[in-house]
Amino acid sequence: VQLQASGGGLVQAGASLRLSCAVSGRTFSTFAGGWFRRAPGKEREFLAVTNWSGGYIRYADSVNGRFTISRDNAKRTVYLQMNNLKPEDTAVYYCAVDFSMNGVGAPSEESEYDYWGQGTQVTVSS
């Protein structure tokens, strides 16, 4: 299984970005897809997760209302729409997938994820 994250970049405060995470491998398996980030000098934190159907979605309080997670199962891609970006959103953003519950659940703990992407840098200037 490989995860290819893309869409990061350098933007000004208040701008928007959409991150994508394309999943290849285990073509016939369903999964939950999540996004995490690691800011400089901090531990990696959970941001958002969606189960396979999209009917169960969870957000961290820090991004709820500004970030939106979505997915296109035909493309096996999970997205993170980020609006009104702030300098404190500067971090490396990671996507991850969990196959263990066949995509029914929506975990927020790192340890519950099976595969991780390589990370994409988001830098927000003030």
Side-chain angles (χ1 to χ4, degrees), residues 33-87:
W35 286 96
F36 293 74
R37 69 184 177 190
R38 177 178 283 141
K42 296 186 178 181
E43 294 186 351
R44 188 157 56 186
E45 65 169 328
F46 164 77
L47 298 177
V49 60
T50 173
N51 71 343
W52 177 256
S53 71
Y56 184 21
I57 289 176
R58 301 166 65 183
Y59 294 99
D61 290 342
S62 58
V63 302
N64 197 15
R66 294 192 300 126
F67 291 9
T68 302
I69 191 170
S70 62
R71 64 190 302 153
D72 182 334
N73 289 340
K75 296 181 179 179
R76 296 179 72 78
T77 299
V78 182
Y79 304 98
L80 186 67
Q81 176 68 42
M82 306 187 294
N83 297 329
N84 190 24
L85 284 162
K86 305 174 181 180

Side-chain angles (χ1 to χ4, degrees), residues 1-115:
V1 176
Q2 291 188 326
L3 280 65
Q4 182 65 47
S6 61
L10 171 62
V11 298
Q12 291 189 328
S16 297
L17 281 174
R18 189 176 80 154
L19 305 182
S20 300
C21 177
V23 181
S24 59
R26 293 188 64 171
T27 308
F28 299 103
S29 297
T30 55
F31 56 86
W35 286 96
F36 293 74
R37 69 184 177 190
R38 177 178 283 141
K42 296 186 178 181
E43 294 186 351
R44 188 157 56 186
E45 65 169 328
F46 164 77
L47 298 177
V49 60
T50 173
N51 71 343
W52 177 256
S53 71
Y56 184 21
I57 289 176
R58 301 166 65 183
Y59 294 99
D61 290 342
S62 58
V63 302
N64 197 15
R66 294 192 300 126
F67 291 9
T68 302
I69 191 170
S70 62
R71 64 190 302 153
D72 182 334
N73 289 340
K75 296 181 179 179
R76 296 179 72 78
T77 299
V78 182
Y79 304 98
L80 186 67
Q81 176 68 42
M82 306 187 294
N83 297 329
N84 190 24
L85 284 162
K86 305 174 181 180
E88 52 264 42
D89 293 319
T90 294
V92 178
Y93 284 68
Y94 299 90
C95 61
V97 295
D98 168 32
F99 288 94
S100 64
M101 296 182 65
N102 295 319
V104 173
S108 61
E109 296 294 328
E110 288 187 42
S111 60
E112 297 182 82
Y113 285 83
D114 303 309
Y115 299 95

